[in-house]
């Protein structure tokens, strides 16, 4: 009997996380959907089950140690293994001039994006060592290729940190057959921008005049969550078996304009 491989997707209730969940399920993975909003997770899990695949919802905050320990225990109890981790949960946080950015605002972005990624991997790796697998960290072009988003200091630091984490862990975990890569999306049509707080933009924005259409490959249109999900499926599977420690920019050429 063939045992279905198991994927954990954080931030699975919407945007890239939802698209990745559905794309991986279509490839036969059983899915652990992790996030903070039960209703969103249950809705996506229902979509997965409607395709005949298994799903479990895991309500947890990625920045909380105890909650993540409990969530991973439930996942393993349900499925018995873990093969793929998509560390996607994150926030844009507050974008503001550095002298105006409050310590609590800085800490919140660092906590969710960096501590959350660390805890996700920290809890997942012990369950992956036996069979190997793939860890995919959703970073950004901000902090890795571009630095022009006004006031996005905390956000950019976390995204640069996620890339460094991927490259460090690619070497550390290679002996177990675990690959670690970082996705770096540009403008993607998701809801995350709706939750971004930007203050005093005029004090921090870079006076760049863009060419017509700032995303060359699509005449200025933002990419879709499904574009990113397709790349996640590739990095999760055996067709990417020799790729690790690599940033993959998926931005339609946006980051090359600066």
């Amino acid at each position: 009997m063939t045992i279905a491989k198991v994927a954990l997707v954080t931030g699975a209730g919407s945007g890239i996380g939802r698209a990745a969940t559905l794309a991986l399920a279509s490839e036969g993975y059983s899915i652990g959907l992790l996030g903070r909003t039960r209703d969103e997770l249950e809705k996506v899990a229902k979509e997965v089950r409607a395709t005949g695949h298994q799903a479990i919802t895991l309500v947890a905050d990625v920045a909380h140690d105890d909650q993540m320990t409990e969530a991973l225990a439930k996942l393993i109890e349900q499925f018995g293994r873990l093969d793929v981790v998509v560390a996607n949960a994150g926030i844009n946080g507050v974008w503001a001039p550095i002298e105006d950015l409050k310590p609590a605002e800085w800490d919140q972005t660092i906590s969710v994006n960096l501590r959350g990624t660390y805890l996700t991997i920290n809890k997942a790796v012990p369950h992956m060592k036996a069979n190997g697998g793939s860890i995919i960290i959703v970073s950004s072009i901000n902090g890795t290729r571009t630095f022009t988003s006004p006031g996005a200091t905390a956000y950019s630091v976390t995204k640069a940190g996620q890339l460094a984490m991927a490259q460090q862990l690619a070497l550390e975990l290679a002996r177990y057959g675990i690959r670690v890569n970082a996705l770096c999306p540009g403008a993607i049509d998701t809801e995350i921008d709706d939750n971004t707080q930007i203050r005093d933009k005029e004090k921090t924005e870079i006076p760049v005049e863009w060419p017509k259409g700032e995303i060359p490959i699509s005449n200025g249109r933002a990419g879709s969550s499904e574009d990113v999900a397709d790349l996640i499926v590739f990095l999760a599977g055996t067709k990417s078996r020799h790729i690790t420690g690599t940033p993959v920019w998926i931005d339609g050429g946006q980051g090359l304009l600066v």
Side-chain angles (χ1 to χ4, degrees), residues 77-155:
E77 181 182 3
Q78 175 78 17
F79 296 128
R81 62 184 290 159
L82 179 58
D83 304 277
V84 172
V85 172
V86 182
N88 165 70
I91 60 173
N92 279 357
V94 175
W95 294 6
I98 192 65
E99 70 274 19
D100 180 50
L101 186 64
K102 307 296 188 292
E105 294 167 343
W106 169 274
D107 289 346
Q108 175 70 1
T109 304
I110 299 294
S111 179
V112 175
N113 293 0
L114 269 185
R115 178 181 167 86
T117 300
Y118 147 70
L119 281 175
T120 299
I121 297 172
N122 172 265
K123 306 304 178 187
V125 162
H127 305 293
M128 300 179 73
K129 285 183 173 181
N131 299 308
S134 176
I135 296 172
I136 301 153
I137 298 172
V138 180
S139 178
S140 172
I141 62 171
N142 288 286
T144 61
R145 199 176 220 180
T146 69
F147 296 86
T148 55
S149 295
T153 304
Y155 179 77

Side-chain angles (χ1 to χ4, degrees), residues 196-251:
T196 307
Q197 237 186 294
I198 303 178
R199 291 199 301 268
D200 297 325
K201 179 179 177 181
E202 69 283 354
K203 294 181 180 179
T204 56
E205 64 184 346
I206 309 301
V208 175
E209 187 173 337
W210 295 92
K212 184 178 180 182
E214 67 177 61
I215 306 171
I217 201 71
S218 58
N219 296 316
R221 294 189 307 277
S224 69
S225 296
E226 288 72 24
D227 293 330
V228 182
D230 286 344
L231 181 54
I232 287 172
V233 168
F234 170 70
L235 289 174
T238 57
K239 290 183 179 179
S240 61
R241 58 189 171 273
H242 206 55
I243 301 174
T244 193
T246 299
V248 185
W249 287 279
I250 177 167
D251 65 355

